[in-house]
Amino acid sequence: MKIKIVYTMALVMLLGMSSCQNTFLDLEPLDTRTDAVYFKRASDFNEYALSFYGQLQGWGSRYGSIYNYMDVSSDLSTYMQYSQDLARGTVQIPYSDERWDKCYENIRTVNILLEKANDYPGKREEIGRYISEAYFFRAYTYFYLLKFFGGVPVVTTVMDVDSPELTGPRNSRYEVVDLILSDLNRAIDGLPVEQSIPVTEKGRISYYGAKAFKARVLLYEATWRKYNGTSTDYEGSAGPASEQVNDFLDEAISLCDDVMANGKYSIWNYNSVSAMKNMSSRYLFCLEDADSNPAGLGKSSNNEFIIYGVYDKSLRPGATNINQTVSKMDASRKLVDMFLCTDGLPVALSSKFKGYATPSAEFKNRDYRLKSYIGEPDDNKTLTDGRSGYSNAKFYHAHTAKDKEESSNYPVLRLAEVFLTYAEALYERNGEVTDVQLNRSINILRGRAGVANLTNQFITEHELDMLTEIRRERTVELYMEGYRFDDLKRWGIAERELNVAHCGMVVGDALYPTTFKDKNGNPTSLYSIYKYPYGETSVLTGVGLSKCVVIESQENLNFSKTHYLWPVPQQQINMNPNLKQNPGY
């Protein structure tokens, strides 16, 4: 029987390249190889393991459009072409779901390598790294399934048409988590540290990358259990074998500490270069060559990305109209007001906040990420950006002239997330986080953003809440990177946050006049209301209740606990009636 291998030559060349290029080009076609001749050499396992990297989230996502994962239609951003059903709570049971199908294809691909490793004729250590990569990718895929569906069937063998797993029941989310953590432990044991990975192989999973990913899983599951308990489990699902929340948090803290101390990663901050204009947080996400940023830096300067999809204009372009799409994403009033002033205070408390009298006023004295991610309006131009009045600059490649040529690496997990995981896990575990711990983590991000340090004294003096500020930092730093829905759900507050009207710019009224320009360029005190099908409403802003344009009406929003998980596709239940549907569907 011939083996089917998912293999992308361009990606392999990117990861293995230069010195190995001739070797790759001389390979016989993979589809001509059979079990009898393949998986006999360590190089076969290496070649096969490289195919796993197409499973990473990226511009050419295997799991549907990448734009579905950019916080669109959450409380932070709206672009109704994507994720409209989730945002509005109108999710229906689909006949099939490519996320389910693709994930189990990925799992089968990984299980093939693990099975073949048992028959490898050479020394086990010769293929140890590739086995570890397989365990990592199986954990990565099961975590993806866990976030969408909860408990799913656990498959650790290469199934045949009569395999009992095909008609078995779902495993509980707790059994899935146990497998993920076990697989990650096996991955960590055999992966090289980042420092030992040669330049020609940068982008492959490292020892510290697997540790950082495990910390992500541990924080996710600890907080899910803390705030949701078993409320989302399907009928008949077994509960957790023991209370593990604090154990998970303790290990997440330890793993983050190790990555931060020894991983040799660093925040990409070139704000000291005057031409950068404090916009490191913008150029990090469109980093390609020297022409892609004012500091003249290339991808090799980026030591912040820990796990990432590798792209290249020639060998593996993004090929997804990145600029055209992200520029149409409408940031919300809520998101924009979450960015702090430079003194570290929220807009409602800071004397540095300049209000909303003109489009650019609210951008003054603010967190650099506001301009980096959103883009500052021009008071001298008619506002035509989206439906909210705001543009979007994150992931926008201003240096790229042609569509589908944008080819920056895609951040799957970066050091900033490790800092945020560390601080949140500490607070969730201990009910406090020290100033020393804040300086090792969140305050490094605030330093790049031009925002005053977060300290316990600052929290006390201004009657703030530490957990709220940690969550705020996570929200603004990771905007558009696909975390918001998962964060709201694991915190158990998605219904509260998503069922409120999504608003855009403050348009003002007689009590609070604002100055914009209409479609003819004439000054007007209000946005031209005909542009906005849902009109205006009064919401709490940095200057109190203010009239804002509505970009998604509250009447359309009906998100509930049911929607914390997606329904199991009907096709799967038809084939295996032993699969229980998620509650509420």
Side-chain angles (χ1 to χ4, degrees):
M1 181 181 73
K2 290 186 178 180
I3 55 175
K4 178 182 179 183
I5 299 180
V6 181
Y7 183 83
T8 303
M9 180 60 73
L11 179 59
V12 172
M13 289 175 67
L14 277 170
L15 292 170
M17 311 353 39
S18 51
S19 62
C20 302
Q21 197 168 54
N22 289 335
T23 302
F24 283 115
L25 293 176
D26 289 341
L27 289 174
E28 61 185 286
L30 295 182
D31 60 4
T32 67
R33 301 186 186 186
T34 66
D35 290 353
V37 298
Y38 200 66
F39 289 120
K40 300 303 181 185
R41 301 169 298 180
S43 59
D44 296 338
F45 283 84
N46 178 41
E47 180 182 283
Y48 189 85
L50 282 170
S51 74
F52 298 155
Y53 285 84
Q55 299 177 15
L56 287 175
Q57 189 67 276
W59 299 120
S61 174
R62 280 177 58 79
Y63 315 103
S65 172
I66 186 59
Y67 305 117
N68 281 318
Y69 303 90
M70 285 191 168
D71 301 335
V72 292
S73 297
S74 73
D75 55 338
L76 305 183
S77 178
T78 300
Y79 186 15
M80 284 308 174
Q81 183 176 342
Y82 300 103
S83 296
Q84 181 172 320
D85 47 359
L86 177 60
R88 292 181 171 178
T90 57
V91 178
Q92 302 295 318
I93 301 174
Y95 178 71
S96 62
D97 191 320
E98 66 179 336
R99 292 167 299 191
W100 182 288
D101 297 340
K102 293 292 186 183
C103 281
Y104 278 101
E105 286 179 16
N106 293 347
I107 290 165
R108 178 179 176 81
T109 302
V110 167
N111 285 341
I112 287 172
L113 184 146
L114 294 174
E115 184 177 275
K116 295 301 180 182
N118 294 326
D119 300 323
Y120 178 62
K123 296 180 179 178
R124 184 81 171 182
E125 55 265 29
E126 294 175 349
I127 60 171
R129 177 185 182 182
Y130 318 126
I131 294 171
S132 292
E133 286 177 308
Y135 279 121
F136 173 85
F137 278 99
R138 191 166 71 181
Y140 177 87
T141 300
Y142 270 113
F143 185 56
Y144 183 94
L145 285 167
L146 179 80
K147 290 189 296 179
F148 276 95
F149 302 105
V152 294
V154 168
V155 180
T156 57
T157 61
V158 182
M159 292 192 296
D160 208 337
V161 292
D162 57 353
S163 295
E165 293 94 335
L166 292 173
T167 56
R170 294 174 66 178
N171 291 85
S172 70
R173 71 174 297 115
Y174 314 100
E175 292 170 314
V176 174
V177 169
D178 287 346
L179 175 71
I180 293 169
L181 297 179
S182 173
D183 278 358
L184 287 172
N185 286 339
R186 293 180 176 188
I188 290 167
D189 285 345
L191 289 168
V193 296
E194 186 71 44
Q195 301 92 307
S196 70
I197 297 177
V199 172
T200 54
E201 295 187 6
K202 289 298 183 184
R204 294 186 79 158
I205 304 298
S206 71
Y207 170 84
Y208 291 112
K211 282 196 165 189
F213 188 82
K214 188 180 181 187
R216 174 192 285 184
V217 173
L218 289 164
L219 176 66
Y220 179 91
E221 187 61 15
T223 50
W224 185 285
R225 295 185 190 184
K226 181 174 182 177
Y227 293 109
N228 292 306
T230 59
S231 62
T232 62
D233 292 356
Y234 61 87
E235 183 180 354
S237 172
S242 62
E243 171 56 55
Q244 296 173 296
V245 170
N246 286 340
D247 290 342
F248 284 179
L249 292 171
D250 283 337
E251 187 175 4
I253 294 164
S254 177
L255 290 167
C256 289
D257 184 75
D258 191 15
V259 174
M260 291 156 53
N262 302 306
K264 304 300 182 183
Y265 303 105
S266 59
I267 292 298
W268 197 83
N269 184 4
Y270 289 87
N271 287 345
S272 60
V273 177
S274 59
M276 188 67 78
K277 297 182 180 179
N278 298 319
M279 293 280 203
S280 293
S281 293
R282 172 179 293 179
Y283 292 106
L284 172 62
F285 298 99
C286 59
L287 187 64
E288 294 190 49
D289 52 26
D291 294 330
S292 66
N293 61 92
L297 299 166
K299 291 179 180 177
S300 63
S301 68
N302 181 6
N303 295 312
E304 180 169 342
F305 289 7
I306 299 175
I307 302 174
Y308 52 95
V310 179
Y311 289 85
D312 179 86
K313 282 185 178 180
S314 300
L315 298 174
R316 195 195 185 200
T320 56
N321 279 329
I322 298 170
N323 281 356
Q324 280 191 24
T325 307
V326 299
S327 62
K328 298 174 183 176
M329 294 179 176
D330 298 305
S332 70
R333 162 86 279 121
K334 180 177 181 178
L335 170 67
V336 175
D337 279 348
M338 288 184 77
F339 290 91
L340 297 168
C341 291
T342 54
D343 58 7
L345 287 171
V347 293
L349 300 178
S350 176
S351 62
K352 291 183 174 293
F353 183 57
K354 298 301 182 183
Y356 312 94
T358 65
S360 66
E362 61 181 307
F363 285 73
K364 309 301 181 187
N365 304 325
R366 300 289 294 280
D367 184 324
Y368 296 151
R369 289 170 293 197
L370 178 56
K371 291 183 182 179
S372 291
Y373 291 174
I374 309 300
E376 184 176 10
D378 187 337
D379 290 341
N380 297 315
K381 292 184 179 179
T382 302
L383 292 173
T384 58
D385 293 314
R387 299 184 305 167
S388 69
Y390 298 108
S391 60
N392 179 72
K394 193 166 185 178
F395 293 116
Y396 188 88
H397 297 59
H399 60 283
T400 301
K402 294 182 180 179
D403 294 335
K404 298 188 177 182
E405 284 192 353
E406 308 94 324
S407 301
S408 55
N409 290 341
Y410 184 85
V412 174
L413 193 159
R414 57 190 177 97
L415 181 59
E417 182 193 340
V418 177
F419 288 163
L420 294 161
T421 297
Y422 176 73
E424 184 181 344
L426 281 165
Y427 193 87
E428 290 287 3
R429 177 64 177 92
N430 304 318
E432 63 179 5
V433 54
T434 69
D435 289 351
V436 171
Q437 291 164 337
L438 289 169
N439 287 339
R440 292 188 65 208
S441 55
I442 280 179
N443 285 334
I444 297 176
L445 302 179
R446 289 164 76 110
R448 177 167 62 183
V451 175
N453 279 355
L454 181 63
T455 67
N456 282 277
Q457 182 178 351
F458 187 84
I459 289 287
T460 301
E461 286 179 353
H462 297 284
E463 299 181 344
L464 301 173
D465 175 71
M466 181 64 81
L467 182 58
T468 298
E469 295 310 306
I470 290 172
R471 289 180 175 180
R472 179 204 303 272
E473 190 65 37
R474 179 180 179 88
T475 300
V476 298
E477 174 66 33
L478 300 178
Y479 170 58
M480 283 186 69
E481 294 178 56
Y483 295 85
R484 184 59 173 174
F485 275 119
D486 291 332
D487 287 344
L488 292 177
K489 291 186 294 183
R490 67 184 178 86
W491 296 333
I493 59 174
E495 307 97 307
R496 185 187 78 195
E497 300 299 317
L498 295 178
N499 286 330
V500 179
H502 303 167
C503 295
M505 274 192 166
V506 172
V507 296
D509 55 26
L511 297 176
Y512 188 84
T514 59
T515 301
F516 300 100
K517 291 183 178 181
D518 64 20
K519 62 179 181 178
N520 298 315
N522 300 315
T524 179
S525 61
L526 294 176
Y527 251 146
S528 301
I529 197 168
Y530 71 86
K531 289 178 60 179
Y532 306 100
Y534 302 118
E536 305 164 4
T537 191
S538 293
V539 297
L540 191 62
T541 70
V543 295
L545 283 175
S546 301
K547 283 279 189 72
C548 297
V549 63
V550 177
I551 55 179
E552 178 64 289
S553 172
Q554 186 170 3
E555 295 178 358
N556 295 334
L557 306 173
N558 189 33
F559 192 91
S560 69
K561 184 69 76 172
T562 293
H563 306 118
Y564 276 45
L565 297 175
W566 285 79
V568 176
Q570 188 60 46
Q571 181 186 44
Q572 298 300 321
I573 294 176
N574 291 347
M575 292 189 295
N576 178 12
N578 289 320
L579 292 180
K580 294 282 189 177
Q581 184 55 272
N582 278 325
Y585 293 104

